[in-house]
Amino acid sequence: MYYYSHGAGSSQSPAADPVRHRRRGRSIHRLAHNGPVNDLLPFRSLLTPEGRALLDEVRDTRPGDELAVATRLRRAHPAELVSAALGQARLRQRAAAKFGAADAGRMYFTPDGVEQATRTSVATYRAARLRDLGVGSVADLCCGIGGDAIAFARAGIRVLAVDRDPLTVEVTRANTAALGLQELIEVREADVTGVDASGWDAVFVDPARRGGRTGGAARGASVTGGGRATGGRIFDPEGYSPPLSWAVGAASTARTAALKIAPGIAHEAIPDRAEAEWISDGGEVKEAVLWFGTGTPGAVRATLLPGPRSLLGRGLPDPEVRSVGRYLYEPDGAVIRAHLVAEVAAELGGGLIDPTIAYVTADELRATPYATAYEITDRLPFNVKKLRALLRERRVGTLTVKKRGSAVEPEELRRKVRPQGPNAATVFLTRVAGAPTMLVGAPATATATGAGPS
């Protein structure tokens, strides 16, 4: 149970590019994302005085201006260097959302690295937890572009950062130098399966979880050919590169270990001696981590950032199904992935609206950091005409559509009901006791007191 994903809010697709711009658009895309920034020699040229100066010059270049800027700069600089600088500038702009503008403006990236690197807030939380566990040194196996290694070092932990891809290793070294962390981070190009990590307090493994391109995409091991960013996601943990079984074995070489895994992993695949933690940031599930050596084998927790706020599983039975009350609670995605909806329902004095749907209902409004509350005003059997009439009566023009257990797409419903008016509402497309149902309401607010790690 609890396997339905978060419903998407209403959104609009961007308009297609005009035909007359297609050729130019392709040229810029190739320049900014898939060009020489992926090659080792052009990347090294960015580290020269000329390359650094060029990076400063193109720092704020907008995508639509790249072709004109490239044409101008190629009169004074090698074309390959100009392309690499513009590509790196675009990657830095994309990376600001994960690393912050200050760090992203100094760091170096690959397209795969930007997409797959750990968000700084998550990496910082994990590094703090390792530090609090008494870890003074960590072997970061499959280090990628060094995002986690940077967080470890900033927490005062000495790091061995290992990756088998030459470009990725060069980027990690450049990032270590750019942020002044050379004394704490040793970067090594190697297949992680051949690295002896027994001399380090902890092991951290972030295996590739996507199939497709090799090279920088295949993180640290040649155990499998799994790629990282351009292929499809790998759901079988034994399809990771390296496989989860290898990572669990590597964890046994240190007194503490953390293995980053996909949040959709089946609970049955989690080793009994591991603590499993699901982490969300700003309401979006980011990852799951298997911890070893924490003193809590078999524990399950959901951690919400910022905060952090951690909900520890108590092994509660499934909540009872009850009729829809005045309030509907949507648990955080990390809570759902961790199968801790029962813990939230117990905290709220509520139950489920359906045995297979992760919505909690209750008659009272209680504060909790682990779920978002909505006050329900109307319950309708699924009927678009009735919903359209209700929204017109309420003069609803801003409609948020969420779904769980429904095949109807939010945008499809929006087109059919054509909301108009000054008011706002939220509609949930779901099931109540097995029946397709529409619940209409609005966000409800309660003041949280004493909400902290549990």
Side-chain angles (χ1 to χ4, degrees):
M1 71 189 299
Y2 317 140
Y3 295 125
Y4 291 102
S5 62
H6 278 296
S10 58
S11 60
Q12 295 190 16
S13 301
D17 290 336
V19 173
R20 64 177 179 274
H21 292 314
R22 284 180 181 169
R23 181 165 298 182
R24 176 176 294 183
R26 288 176 180 168
S27 170
I28 293 173
H29 179 81
R30 191 164 54 243
L31 178 69
H33 299 291
N34 298 328
V37 74
N38 280 325
D39 300 327
L40 191 56
L41 291 178
F43 174 75
R44 286 174 175 166
S45 71
L46 293 175
L47 306 180
T48 65
E50 181 183 11
R52 295 179 191 273
L54 201 56
L55 278 172
D56 288 338
E57 185 171 353
V58 302
R59 178 188 304 271
D60 299 319
T61 302
R62 295 177 298 182
D65 297 333
E66 283 184 341
L67 189 59
V69 170
T71 301
R72 174 176 58 81
L73 292 176
R74 283 170 179 165
R75 297 177 187 136
H77 304 278
E80 194 172 55
L81 177 59
V82 172
S83 295
L86 284 168
Q88 193 60 232
R90 290 289 290 135
L91 292 173
R92 285 178 168 181
Q93 291 169 12
R94 288 171 53 196
K98 282 189 175 182
F99 290 87
D103 280 354
R106 293 184 290 165
M107 292 173 65
Y108 298 87
F109 302 95
T110 65
D112 296 336
V114 170
E115 183 174 346
Q116 294 300 306
T118 303
R119 184 178 292 267
T120 292
S121 56
V122 178
T124 299
Y125 161 75
R126 187 167 47 237
R129 190 167 182 205
L130 279 177
R131 181 194 60 211
D132 293 344
L133 288 168
V135 170
S137 65
V138 59
D140 181 357
L141 308 180
C142 310
C143 68
I145 61 170
D148 286 290
I150 290 166
F152 295 143
R154 284 177 167 169
I157 299 173
R158 189 165 53 88
V159 186
L160 170 65
V162 183
D163 201 286
R164 71 172 176 141
D165 178 64
L167 174 60
T168 301
V169 169
E170 288 278 348
V171 171
T172 303
R173 287 199 177 105
N175 287 336
T176 299
L179 300 179
L181 298 171
Q182 303 98 312
E183 292 186 3
L184 284 170
I185 302 177
E186 174 193 346
V187 184
R188 184 183 303 175
E189 180 185 333
D191 187 319
V192 298
T193 59
V195 174
D196 180 8
S198 59
W200 300 80
D201 293 343
V203 167
F204 174 69
V205 186
D206 179 10
R209 291 175 297 281
R210 296 192 179 213
R213 189 165 71 203
T214 55
R219 294 291 301 281
S222 57
V223 176
T224 72
R228 182 109 208 242
T230 56
R233 287 183 175 87
I234 296 172
F235 296 101
D236 179 3
E238 289 308 294
Y240 294 174
S241 178
L244 179 60
S245 58
W246 179 88
V248 171
S252 65
T253 65
R255 63 178 177 84
T256 307
L259 312 181
K260 180 178 173 181
I261 56 176
I265 188 171
H267 282 228
E268 294 77 13
I270 297 173
D272 292 338
R273 62 189 181 92
E275 173 195 321
E277 179 179 34
W278 280 260
I279 303 172
S280 68
D281 187 12
E284 183 179 353
V285 181
K286 292 300 180 183
E287 65 180 55
V289 184
L290 300 184
W291 293 91
F292 298 83
T294 63
T296 54
V300 176
R301 73 172 65 223
T303 297
L304 281 56
L305 302 176
R309 294 182 173 93
S310 288
L311 178 66
L312 189 62
R314 293 181 284 156
L316 298 181
D318 295 343
E320 293 183 357
V321 177
R322 52 153 291 178
S323 60
V324 178
R326 181 175 178 182
Y327 297 100
L328 187 74
Y329 293 85
E330 180 181 33
D332 184 270
V335 171
I336 296 173
R337 293 287 193 178
H339 295 186
L340 298 182
V341 174
E343 279 72 7
V344 171
E347 179 182 314
L348 298 172
L352 298 179
I353 64 172
D354 184 276
T356 63
I357 303 294
Y359 283 138
V360 175
T361 186
D363 296 319
E364 296 181 7
L365 179 60
R366 298 184 185 179
T368 176
Y370 305 113
T372 303
Y374 296 84
E375 185 172 8
I376 299 303
T377 57
D378 301 272
R379 171 182 172 178
L380 306 170
F382 185 83
N383 187 301
V384 175
K385 290 183 179 180
K386 289 184 178 181
L387 178 62
R388 182 166 58 236
L390 177 66
L391 297 178
R392 286 181 178 176
E393 178 185 337
R394 304 280 173 81
R395 301 179 66 199
V396 172
T398 302
L399 181 66
T400 300
V401 182
K402 293 177 172 288
K403 70 166 193 169
R404 185 167 294 147
S406 172
V408 178
E409 293 300 325
E411 281 304 315
E412 178 186 349
L413 183 68
R414 284 178 54 84
R415 285 193 299 269
K416 290 181 177 180
V417 299
R418 299 187 296 274
Q420 293 181 352
N423 299 322
T426 300
V427 60
F428 295 87
L429 306 178
T430 187
R431 291 197 306 271
V432 174
T437 303
M438 298 183 293
L439 301 176
V440 182
T445 303
T447 302
T449 58
S454 58

